[in-house]
């Protein structure tokens, strides 16, 4: 093998990590006129590159814009400090900020979209660079601005903040699924003010933090989160949540052998 | 409000259509004789597109001595109008009534062309259409575009009671077989032996489940298979003379149920469930992957919730 070919992979990796910081801005692969605004408002105008290693998986076409399932996997980047999930054409673009801390930079959740839009995940690496992945979803209008079929019929007095969940062991990793009952009102439906979960913290049984999320109203009603982690100490997880009215909710999620 | 928006949309699309010239292509409506005095119109087996103009549902008509009984009016006003001309030319008789079997938009949005005859549907379907028809029509405008122009939902205006009716020498039995939606009616012509199963049975086309109840649908398939029919007109796909499409539809629903149960039990996310392999028997059906994804979207949440126990309150922090 000639020396250049032998070193090509390493060179490419070097180029790949250093180029974006100095190169001209890349064109948005999803051709969204809102990208520059998203870069400024959601990513704070920090360095950002489009990067296919941030995998966003979702159905290309949905009939229910109130519950679009999205899976995000940024594990190919290695260490990730934070992931944000947003939709360019939503009246409220940002759905969540996820600091994985001791979890893997992987999650799934359902969110609202108000029309066809790019849905993107941006993952911030240790150098402070945002790596942006995304997909387009085609959807009917109104996912953020129409009442859900279950909003009025749910017994919120008894269910608000109630949690459901389970932990699975898959070889060396654990998968966590957690649902928190909350209307996640966007404030865009009739006279219902914005009312949503704001914080979600996961910690181990010794009280050590595992992950921290800031949540906003574009998440689907009664959001169901999926997380992954490698090592877990103790026999349970502790979940703490807060909403925009100052309510605090908690739950203990047992890890079965 | 919605009606107003729909009118506006229709006007806008009509304007676009005029600019684009006379692009109002005819629908390929070719009646196929299935028995004496009985025809089925077999449609495209794809999904709603501007190209097929939304024509992807089978319809049928029976020329009795007292006029023609029509089963389903199709996806648009233009379809309904053209279909009615084809029916009266083929049967050589006027239409006496229209039967709407269930609430899905591709089965009733041609109603405007039948406004002078009774349009029958059962109480439950009529009640649901009263609330949902505008939204269903809007969605079809979005998917199909300008061939929907002028289409507005026209609600059923006559009762459809399960049971036997003698009409012009045909003994027609209207059978309540819910499952595909909350209320579905199949038509069995005892005189000709033709079973118009419509959307309870799909043949070579992946079933659609936006309003499905699997236990009800499976019970409906058992009921249909027990009928002494000679010819079967499915809702989508070709006419047959055996129960093979009933059994295939049953196997698909059973596979779907078992697969979603298993996925939820293993903690799969919806997007992971959408990517699961489809067995060879169903993978070749039209829209197999697209309809599987849709069905996961419609149904998987119930399976997920069944696998997630309620959490106890956390222990109080000790510090």
């Amino acid at each position: 093998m000639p020396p250049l070919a032998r070193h090509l992979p390493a060179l490419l990796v070097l180029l790949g990590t250093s180029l974006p910081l100095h190169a001209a801005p890349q064109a948005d692969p999803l051709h969204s006129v809102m990208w520059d605004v998203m870069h400024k408002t959601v990513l704070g105008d920090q360095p950002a590159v489009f990067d296919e290693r941030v995998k966003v998986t979702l159905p290309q076409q949905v009939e229910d814009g109130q519950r679009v399932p999205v899976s995000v996997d940024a594990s190919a980047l290695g260490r990730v400090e934070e992931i944000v999930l947003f939709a360019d054409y939503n009246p409220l673009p940002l759905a969540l900020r996820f600091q994985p801390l001791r979890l893997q930079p992987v999650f799934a959740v359902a969110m609202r979209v108000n029309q066809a839009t790019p849905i993107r995940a941006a993952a911030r690496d240790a150098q402070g660079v945002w790596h942006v992945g995304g997909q387009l979803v085609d959807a009917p209008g109104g996912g953020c601005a129409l009442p859900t079929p279950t909003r009025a019929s749910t017994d919120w007095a008894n269910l608000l903040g109630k949690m459901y969940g389970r932990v699975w062991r898959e070889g060396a990793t654990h998968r966590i699924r957690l649902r928190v009952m909350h209307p996640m009102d966007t404030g865009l439906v009739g006279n219902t003010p914005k009312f949503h979960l704001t914080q979600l913290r996961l910690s181990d049984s010794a009280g050590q933090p595992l992950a921290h999320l800031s949540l906003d109203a574009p998440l689907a009603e009664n959001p169901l989160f999926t997380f992954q982690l490698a090592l877990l100490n103790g026999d349970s997880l502790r979940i703490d949540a807060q909403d925009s009215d100052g309510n605090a909710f908690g739950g203990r999620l047992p890890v079965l052998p | 409000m919605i009606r107003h928006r729909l009118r506006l949309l229709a006007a806008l699309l009509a304007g676009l259509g005029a600019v684009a010239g006379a692009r109002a292509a005819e629908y390929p409506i070719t009646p196929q004789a299935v028995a004496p005095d009985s025809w089925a119109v077999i449609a495209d087996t794809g999904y709603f597109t501007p190209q097929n103009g939304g024509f992807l549902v089978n319809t049928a008509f029976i020329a009795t001595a007292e006029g023609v009984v029509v089963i389903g009016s199709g996806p648009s006003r233009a379809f309904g109008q053209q279909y009615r001309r084809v029916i009266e030319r083929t049967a050589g008789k006027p239409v006496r009534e229209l039967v709407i079997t269930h609430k899905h938009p591709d089965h009733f949005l041609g109603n405007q062309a039948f406004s002078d005859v009774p349009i029958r549907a059962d109480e439950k379907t009529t009640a649901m259409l009263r609330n949902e028809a505008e939204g269903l029509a809007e969605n079809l405008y979005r998917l199909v575009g300008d061939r929907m122009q002028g289409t507005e939902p026209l609600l059923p205006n006559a009762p459809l009671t399960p049971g036997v009716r003698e009409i012009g020498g045909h003994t027609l039995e209207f059978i309540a077989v819910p499952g595909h939606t909350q209320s579905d009616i199949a038509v069995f012509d005892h005189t000709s032996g033709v079973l118009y199963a419509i959307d309870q049975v799909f043949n070579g086309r992946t079933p659609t489940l936006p309003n499905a109840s699997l236990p009800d649908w499976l019970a409906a398939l058992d009921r249909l298979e027990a009928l002494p029919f000679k010819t079967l007109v499915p809702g989508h796909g070709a006419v047959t003379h055996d129960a093979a499409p009933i059994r295939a539809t049953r196997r698909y629903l059973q596979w779907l149920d078992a697969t979603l149960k298993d996925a939820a039990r293993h903690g799969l996310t919806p997007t992971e469930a959408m990517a699961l392999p489809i067995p060879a028997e169903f993978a070749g059906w039209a829209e197999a992957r697209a309809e599987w994804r849709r069905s996961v979207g419609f149904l998987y949440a119930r399976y997920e919730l069944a696998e997630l126990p309620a959490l106890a309150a956390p222990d109080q922090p000790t510090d």
Side-chain angles (χ1 to χ4, degrees), chain B residues 40-206:
Chain B
V41 176
I42 304 305
D44 185 15
T45 53
Y47 191 58
F48 298 109
T49 62
Q51 288 70 40
N52 66 26
F55 176 37
L56 43 86
V57 62
N58 296 345
T59 58
F61 54 97
I62 306 161
T64 78
E66 293 167 26
V68 183
V69 176
V70 181
I71 303 170
S73 65
S76 67
R77 186 177 78 163
F79 180 92
Q81 288 167 340
Q82 189 192 334
Y83 184 39
R84 184 154 185 186
R85 288 195 297 275
V86 170
I87 292 169
E88 294 186 340
R89 195 171 59 229
T90 307
K93 285 176 187 166
V95 170
R96 62 164 282 139
E97 64 183 71
L98 169 65
V99 172
I100 300 303
T101 55
H102 65 293
K103 69 174 186 181
H104 283 162
D106 47 339
H107 296 257
F108 77 85
L109 283 176
N111 284 6
Q112 281 162 293
F114 298 88
S115 59
D116 58 329
V117 298
I119 301 176
R120 296 186 182 279
D122 71 280
E123 263 173 49
K124 211 166 165 183
T125 294
T126 304
M128 287 189 289
L129 284 178
R130 207 164 283 136
N131 292 323
E132 299 172 33
E134 300 275 358
L136 291 165
E138 272 197 67
N139 194 42
L140 227 52
Y141 268 89
R142 189 173 71 83
L143 296 169
V144 170
D146 65 359
R147 284 168 90 178
M148 294 298 293
Q149 63 183 259
T151 304
E152 282 189 41
L154 179 63
L155 292 179
N157 52 24
L160 178 61
T161 319
V164 175
R165 281 169 67 207
E166 299 288 342
I167 305 175
H170 284 257
T171 304
L172 299 184
E173 185 176 1
F174 298 88
I175 309 168
V177 277
H180 173 64
T181 70
Q182 297 87 338
S183 188
D184 304 79
I185 300 287
V187 185
F188 181 40
D189 184 343
H190 287 267
T191 310
S192 65
V194 180
L195 172 59
Y196 303 91
I198 308 301
D199 275 7
Q200 305 316 307
V201 179
F202 285 64
N203 185 13
R205 205 282 182 192
T206 312

Side-chain angles (χ1 to χ4, degrees), chain A residues 159-190:
Chain A
L159 287 174
L160 189 75
K162 200 161 163 55
M163 296 182 186
Y164 300 83
R166 191 170 153 189
V167 179
W168 282 262
R169 210 181 287 256
E170 305 169 339
T173 64
H174 293 80
R175 169 170 291 208
I176 303 162
R177 303 203 79 196
L178 171 71
R179 186 191 202 207
V180 186
M181 299 296 284
H182 205 285
M184 302 300 286
D185 291 318
T186 59
L188 303 169
V189 182

Side-chain angles (χ1 to χ4, degrees), chain A residues 10-222:
Chain A
L11 274 171
L12 284 174
V13 168
L14 271 175
L15 283 171
T17 50
S18 59
L19 243 187
L21 291 175
H22 311 292
Q26 298 163 289
D28 171 18
L30 302 180
H31 310 291
S32 157
V33 295
M34 292 299 287
W35 165 246
D36 288 340
V37 176
M38 293 299 111
H39 186 194
K40 280 198 186 70
T41 55
V42 179
L43 304 182
D45 231 357
Q46 297 302 299
V49 297
F50 296 106
D51 192 332
E52 288 178 357
R53 288 176 297 172
V54 179
K55 284 203 231 26
V56 174
T57 311
L58 46 82
Q60 291 174 328
Q61 192 173 44
V62 298
E63 275 140 281
D64 182 2
Q66 296 175 324
R67 184 165 286 277
V68 181
V70 184
S71 298
V72 176
D73 184 347
S75 53
L77 292 178
R79 179 77 208 149
V80 167
E81 304 295 327
E82 185 178 25
I83 302 177
V84 294
L85 176 69
F86 59 100
D88 290 24
Y89 295 151
N90 267 4
L92 306 160
L94 183 67
L96 65 78
R97 291 181 176 276
F98 170 43
Q99 291 170 266
L101 304 179
R102 284 154 63 203
L103 298 192
Q104 295 173 352
V106 172
F107 70 92
V109 76
M111 70 177 290
R112 294 179 159 103
V113 296
N114 209 41
Q115 63 176 91
T117 176
I119 291 182
R120 307 193 203 246
R124 186 163 50 84
D125 66 19
Q127 285 72 47
V129 177
W130 289 104
H131 298 257
V132 185
Q135 296 284 336
L136 292 169
V137 63
D138 183 24
C144 301
L146 292 170
T148 68
T150 42
R151 174 65 179 86
S153 58
T154 303
D155 174 18
W156 293 112
N158 286 311
L159 287 174
L160 189 75
K162 200 161 163 55
M163 296 182 186
Y164 300 83
R166 191 170 153 189
V167 179
W168 282 262
R169 210 181 287 256
E170 305 169 339
T173 64
H174 293 80
R175 169 170 291 208
I176 303 162
R177 303 203 79 196
L178 171 71
R179 186 191 202 207
V180 186
M181 299 296 284
H182 205 285
M184 302 300 286
D185 291 318
T186 59
L188 303 169
V189 182
N191 294 320
T192 309
K194 196 177 174 202
F195 175 48
H196 60 95
L197 291 166
T198 55
Q199 303 285 322
L200 184 68
R201 288 168 195 279
L202 282 70
S203 30
D204 65 19
S205 47
Q208 294 303 306
L210 290 172
H212 177 218
L213 292 95
S214 307
L215 309 176
D216 211 329
L219 288 179
E221 185 175 284
N222 305 325

Side-chain angles (χ1 to χ4, degrees), chain A residues 57-59 61-63 69-71 108 138-141 162-166 168 170 175 177-179 224 226 238-240 250-254, chain B residues 47 139 142-143 210 263-272 274 293-294 297-298 300-301 304-305 307-317:
Chain A
T57 311
L58 46 82
Q61 192 173 44
V62 298
E63 275 140 281
V70 184
S71 298
D138 183 24
K162 200 161 163 55
M163 296 182 186
Y164 300 83
R166 191 170 153 189
W168 282 262
E170 305 169 339
R175 169 170 291 208
R177 303 203 79 196
L178 171 71
R179 186 191 202 207
L224 170 52
T226 305
R238 185 191 162 113
I239 317 293
D240 290 286
R252 189 179 154 276
L253 183 52
Chain B
Y47 191 58
N139 194 42
R142 189 173 71 83
L143 296 169
R265 199 163 285 154
H266 286 90
L268 265 53
T269 65
T271 57
E272 286 169 335
M274 286 174 187
R293 282 198 205 103
R294 285 181 84 213
F298 297 133
Y300 188 51
E304 289 177 294
L305 301 187
E307 296 295 333
L308 299 178
L311 303 193
D315 310 324
Q316 289 307 307

